[in-house]
Amino acid sequence: MNPPESYTNLLRQTVEELSDTSKMQGLFHQHRHGDPLPSSAALEEIIGLCRAVLFPGYYGKSTLNAVTVRYHIGMEIERLFALLTAQVQAGLCFGQQDDDCRCTGVDFHTKAEAIAATLISMLPQVRRTLATDVEAAYLGDPAAQNNGEVISCYPAIRALTCYRIAHELYRLDVPLIPRIISELAHSETGIDIHPGAQIGEYFTIDHGTGVVIGATCIIGNHVKLYQGVTLGAKSFPLDVNGNPIKNNPRHPILEDGVIVYSNATILGRITIGRDAVIGANKWVTHDVAAGQKV
């Protein structure tokens, strides 16, 4: 049945209001025909390929051996390079503010290829760092039986794999794509790590659900967090127009060896000193001395 005329007019008026671009400032991204758009599905495949390369046999093909591993990694790297180039180009296009500039030219594609190649060249170092995270998770949890269990089952390793890839893309000034990757990990694990955070080696998050790590956090080596920990910011300073001032350091610094127990909240640009321990459910907004227990 067709809607009554009164409803038809109401729907038509609503369409007109929702389509008024003058009222969509900051809410409307106008696509230009031929320009690429980021794809969450493609980025999920990219993360899957990265995991298969970084942890062969645990992700991707499960029938690998010492004879076939080079072939399979080579195939996955080739696919990864093509997908990553396309998504980086889409990110560069999304970040282009000049409406008169096309993003499909040779320069954009060449830049995207260079970034994709650079990221792939970093994967051996990313694996070395993730190996320290796996070791920290294994040694820090008496329930863990072996490294394979940690790699296969622990949400922290899944989230940290996404973070360490997204962080390198963030450092390469790729717009949007690092945030999408971090949010894919957030949806999968409940762990929210901004790709701009700086996190050292031997880092682990026990259980993980509800952990938040802000963009300007600096975390040292051998740091351990438990579920529900927030490393956040206090209220933001405002500019003369009343808008938040962006990119100021506003999140905590955790030095080497810090342990933060479940549901603790640490806010602001404060320093938690080396080997300090923050107890569960604590609210911390001031510096904590090295070795201190709160």
Side-chain angles (χ1 to χ4, degrees), residues 2-19:
N2 293 326
E5 186 176 347
S6 60
Y7 291 162
T8 300
N9 292 334
L10 176 63
L11 296 177
R12 184 181 296 114
Q13 180 183 350
T14 302
V15 169
E16 290 300 321
E17 289 189 37
L18 289 173
S19 303

Side-chain angles (χ1 to χ4, degrees), residues 172-192:
L172 291 167
D173 295 323
V174 177
L176 187 63
I177 302 302
R179 289 302 310 270
I180 295 177
I181 291 174
S182 67
E183 289 307 317
L184 289 173
H186 186 192
S187 298
E188 181 184 16
T189 66
I191 298 170
D192 184 1

Side-chain angles (χ1 to χ4, degrees), residues 245-280:
I245 298 174
K246 302 284 187 175
N247 303 318
N248 282 344
R250 59 192 184 278
H251 297 99
I253 299 170
L254 275 58
E255 295 184 345
D256 294 353
V258 169
I259 300 174
V260 185
Y261 283 96
S262 57
N263 298 313
T265 298
I266 305 174
L267 300 181
R269 193 57 162 189
I270 61 174
T271 298
I272 310 300
R274 185 184 181 96
D275 296 326
V277 176
I278 307 299

Side-chain angles (χ1 to χ4, degrees), residues 130-172:
L130 284 169
T132 71
D133 300 331
V134 171
E135 182 178 341
Y138 172 68
L139 295 177
D141 185 359
Q145 298 301 304
N146 49 59
N147 283 355
E149 180 182 346
V150 171
I151 294 168
S152 300
C153 304
Y154 280 42
I157 300 305
R158 290 175 175 265
L160 285 171
T161 301
C162 289
Y163 156 74
R164 297 204 183 275
I165 294 165
H167 179 67
E168 298 303 332
L169 289 169
Y170 183 90
R171 292 177 61 223
L172 291 167

Side-chain angles (χ1 to χ4, degrees), residues 270-289:
I270 61 174
T271 298
I272 310 300
R274 185 184 181 96
D275 296 326
V277 176
I278 307 299
N281 302 309
K282 298 304 178 186
W283 178 276
V284 182
T285 57
H286 296 89
D287 289 347
V288 174

